Amino acid sequence: DGRLHFLQKLVALFGIDQAAIGRSHAFVGDERGAGQIGILRRFGQKQLIFVDLNLLSDKDYARELFTKLIPLKVEWFGLSTVLIAHDREFMELVARSGCKGLLLGLETVTPASLQDAKKRFNGSVNFKEVIRDLHHLGISIQGCFVFGLDHDTPDVFDATVEFAIDAGIDLPRFAVLTPFPGTPLHTRLEREGRILTKDWELYDAQHVVFQPRHMSVRELAEGHEHAWKSCYSLSSIGRRLWAARNFRPLALTVNLGYRFYAHNLHRFYTCDWIVGFSPAPPSREGTVSPTDLVGLPLIASEQAHTAGTCAAWLGEYAAGADIVATYNLLFNAEMLVRERVGYALCLDRIATTG
């Protein structure tokens, strides 16, 4: 299978989203992790990123895998839900296995909005406590929040920024609620007459494509940008990292990178057309056409792939396109490109192409 081949070629350890391969869990090699461990031992890979949307959900598998990782002395980063807080012993095993960072989908600081985000289980966890516990174990946190849920009001932006600073979230991220086509959310909002556009290129978690319930479109758009800039002011960066007791140079470097990102959203979130990016782009003219990509290994956005955006742009060449991987975070796409897995397809100017 092409996706399995690219994982082995990368010589790192990845889980794959169910939507990408049609199984609830994907294991490279055999069903209990021996294949992954063998690859790591053979090639000596020491830094890993798990892109499974919830690697920790199968605890039996995760315990076996993490136990085998301990003697390899690797460092890894991955994704989890806050439910990890309910099992302190498991959390400590995650840390001993070499975990240095987790992305947590916190979603919202508004309790009533947790149901809107389909994450009522988040309400069973004190966010600040789980973040504190993970920090004590040496695990940094990328906390992700969504704005525009039905119970959100204009005060949600400042409240979220204040929480991110007080909790010491190492790397906060913010997104606008996006009703992707084919989802129950899109069906409901369309039924309520709240869908404002069907220009799918704007469905990128950054543009407001629906009418919020308790604020205007402009308030949501400007509040989202305000949260980014406020959370990545120099003083906020200092306060967050001090609260996290994260004094590693990498933490400051990444935050300064996100500060640039936060103050240049207008440059990164434009939606014109799909282009490839790579240290060695296939076209010298600065633009890419479907014919340029024939025979090349491609890395596509999972959302664009599922929605058919890639196929629509590729046109008659879609059937023969060699899509070897999909990504849900642009950071993951860039990493795969740097490892020369393939050429990533993304929206124009959403990433640096030089």
Side-chain angles (χ1 to χ4, degrees), residues 179 189 193-199 203 208-212 216-217:
L189 293 182
R194 294 166 61 189
I195 297 293
L196 302 179
T197 178
K198 291 190 176 180
D199 180 351
Y203 282 59
V208 182
V209 297
F210 73 101
Q211 176 58 57
S216 68
V217 170

Side-chain angles (χ1 to χ4, degrees), residues 120-137:
R120 283 181 293 180
F121 59 80
N122 275 16
S124 68
V125 175
N126 182 305
F127 286 174
K128 288 187 177 180
E129 288 183 4
V130 68
I131 291 169
R132 181 197 63 206
D133 290 345
L134 289 168
H135 279 156
H136 284 170
L137 292 171

Side-chain angles (χ1 to χ4, degrees), residues 50-252:
F50 292 89
V51 294
D52 190 303
L53 295 186
N54 189 4
L55 175 69
L56 312 185
S57 61
D58 184 341
K59 281 193 175 181
D60 290 338
Y61 170 76
R63 282 193 178 94
E64 184 172 344
L65 176 61
F66 296 156
T67 300
K68 291 177 179 178
L69 286 178
I70 292 173
L72 300 183
K73 300 187 183 302
V74 298
E75 294 184 350
W76 64 267
F77 301 81
L79 297 83
S80 176
T81 69
V82 296
L83 295 181
I84 190 176
H86 293 314
D87 190 336
R88 177 71 188 193
E89 181 181 353
F90 182 65
M91 189 188 299
E92 292 174 353
L93 173 61
V94 169
R96 291 200 308 275
S97 72
C99 180
K100 296 301 179 184
L102 287 175
L103 183 152
L104 298 180
L106 303 176
E107 312 306 350
T108 179
V109 298
T110 306
S113 291
L114 288 176
Q115 183 170 353
D116 300 334
K118 306 301 182 186
K119 283 200 172 181
R120 283 181 293 180
F121 59 80
N122 275 16
S124 68
V125 175
N126 182 305
F127 286 174
K128 288 187 177 180
E129 288 183 4
V130 68
I131 291 169
R132 181 197 63 206
D133 290 345
L134 289 168
H135 279 156
H136 284 170
L137 292 171
I139 298 174
S140 299
I141 300 301
Q142 182 173 41
C144 298
F145 299 90
V146 177
F147 295 131
L149 297 163
D150 274 357
H151 287 84
D152 283 354
T153 57
D155 61 0
V156 71
F157 308 107
D158 284 334
T160 304
V161 170
E162 182 179 352
F163 171 84
I165 294 172
D166 290 345
I169 296 178
D170 305 78
L171 205 65
R173 281 191 63 92
F174 308 103
V176 173
L177 180 68
T178 301
F180 292 107
T183 62
L185 176 61
H186 187 276
T187 300
R188 177 173 68 83
L189 293 182
E190 188 169 39
R191 184 175 63 246
E192 295 173 0
R194 294 166 61 189
I195 297 293
L196 302 179
T197 178
K198 291 190 176 180
D199 180 351
W200 306 130
E201 289 191 343
L202 298 177
Y203 282 59
D204 59 0
Q206 307 302 332
H207 290 82
V208 182
V209 297
F210 73 101
Q211 176 58 57
R213 186 177 293 279
H214 292 301
M215 65 183 91
S216 68
V217 170
R218 181 172 181 176
E219 284 176 316
L220 177 52
E222 292 182 350
H224 169 249
E225 184 171 355
H226 166 74
W228 271 105
K229 291 181 177 179
S230 297
C231 220
Y232 284 95
S233 68
L234 293 177
S235 61
S236 293
I237 291 173
R239 290 170 62 195
R240 283 191 291 100
L241 295 183
W242 179 264
R245 294 297 186 267
N246 189 346
F247 307 120
R248 289 172 288 187
L250 179 60
L252 179 59

